[in-house]
Amino acid sequence: MHELLEDLKQARRGSTIRQVTRGLTLPFRAARFLKENKKLVPFVIVPALINAVLFAISAYLLLTNAGDIVDWLWEKPVVDGLLSYLLIVLWYFVYVLCLLAAVVLSYVVVLVAGGIVASPFHDFLSEHTERILRGVDDVSGPDESIVGDLLRSIGSSAFIGLMYASLMLPILLLNFIPGIGNVTSTVLSACVSAFFVALEYTDPTLQRHGVKLRDKFGLIWDNLPLTGSFGLGTSLLLWVPLMNFICMPIAVIGGTALGIALEED
């Protein structure tokens, strides 16, 4: 058994502080694991390219249309007095909020769409990672056709992604409430992202082991100090330029180790 997996199992039985520490640092240890096991690199390249393309497309479309969205919601005031100047300042404030919301929404799009599109590649990476972590040659789950297993994996990722998006969209709208709305949106989005990122990247392993969707939610919730900190650390890395393109495959590696530790008592 690899030391990374053994450490996570011990952390799960340890104190809350230890769980949070191990969860936050898991993405970095997963990156080191990838560096030590270069045969996994081919399984990382395709998902990284998919993430880069999706982020570029979504960010471009959302940012270039942010002005039109603001105009649709509120036509830019015409300068004809002191009040109009104040309204223009407020209009630009709303415009900046829309730009920020567009960036955040691009992040959500990458998480949701990237998780679905790259799901088959994540499964391959997760399976090969588990082989190394366990030191075995076969980690296949219940007998099922390749097509059936692929469809089940995509379906699970799609369901998790859509649930995440359905929660995030109303949270983003809170940004239009001055003051407390921005703070509330930031806190809620961080909490929701942490939970669903942990769920998304442990899912390939848990799915392969035949864990039901309801039980997946239960495992994440019951081990929240460990899983939530992993999700939070991974979410923060997604905001780092260039790093975010390879963050998802690294998260799959970390999520695989975490999923095994959660699923095994």
Side-chain angles (χ1 to χ4, degrees):
M1 182 184 299
H2 194 276
E3 60 180 359
L4 175 60
L5 180 56
E6 182 63 33
D7 182 67
L8 285 174
K9 288 184 176 182
Q10 293 178 3
R12 187 187 178 195
R13 298 187 292 267
S15 65
T16 299
I17 294 178
R18 183 177 183 182
Q19 291 184 51
V20 171
T21 302
R22 292 298 188 272
L24 285 173
T25 58
L26 181 53
F28 301 99
R29 289 185 291 158
R32 186 169 66 239
F33 179 88
L34 176 61
K35 182 179 179 181
E36 295 170 351
N37 296 274
K38 292 182 173 57
K39 60 184 178 182
L40 294 176
V41 172
F43 300 101
V44 172
I45 294 175
V46 174
L49 291 175
I50 291 174
N51 298 335
V53 171
L54 286 175
F55 185 82
I57 293 174
S58 62
Y60 173 78
L61 291 176
L62 290 170
L63 289 174
T64 54
N65 290 284
D68 294 333
I69 294 174
V70 176
D71 283 333
W72 178 72
L73 294 172
W74 178 17
E75 187 176 354
K76 187 176 180 179
V78 178
V79 178
D80 59 1
L82 178 60
L83 180 59
S84 63
Y85 279 108
L86 295 176
L87 290 175
I88 288 177
V89 171
L90 183 58
W91 186 90
Y92 275 107
F93 176 74
V94 174
Y95 178 71
V96 171
L97 287 180
C98 282
L99 290 179
L100 294 175
V103 174
V104 175
L105 193 56
S106 298
Y107 163 83
V108 175
V109 168
V110 171
L111 279 181
V112 176
I116 297 172
V117 176
S119 179
F121 303 100
H122 288 170
D123 286 343
F124 289 132
L125 175 58
S126 176
E127 183 174 337
H128 283 76
T129 298
E130 184 173 354
R131 290 178 183 177
I132 298 173
L133 289 171
R134 291 182 180 275
V136 298
D137 295 327
D138 185 21
V139 293
S140 301
D143 292 337
E144 188 172 358
S145 67
I146 296 177
V147 175
D149 187 57
L150 179 61
L151 292 176
R152 186 182 297 273
S153 175
I154 293 175
S156 180
S157 294
F159 181 82
I160 293 172
L162 291 175
M163 182 175 289
Y164 171 65
S166 67
L167 291 174
M168 283 297 295
L169 289 177
I171 290 175
L172 290 176
L173 294 177
L174 293 174
N175 284 295
F176 291 99
I177 302 176
I180 192 173
N182 295 332
V183 176
T184 304
S185 176
T186 300
V187 173
L188 288 178
S189 62
C191 293
V192 172
S193 294
F195 183 90
F196 277 92
V197 165
L199 178 61
E200 172 67 22
Y201 292 112
T202 56
D203 185 62
T205 302
L206 298 178
Q207 181 72 27
R208 188 166 54 252
H209 292 184
V211 179
K212 296 180 179 179
L213 184 61
R214 182 176 61 182
D215 295 330
K216 295 175 187 177
F217 277 87
L219 285 173
I220 300 299
W221 181 259
D222 292 340
N223 298 274
L224 201 55
L226 180 59
T227 58
S229 56
F230 165 67
L232 181 61
T234 302
S235 298
L236 293 175
L237 286 178
L238 284 171
W239 290 100
V240 180
L242 300 181
M243 180 64 183
N244 52 6
F245 297 145
I246 63 171
C247 182
M248 284 188 178
I250 289 175
V252 171
I253 294 174
T256 298
L258 182 58
I260 298 171
L262 294 178
E263 200 257 336
E264 293 184 352
D265 292 328

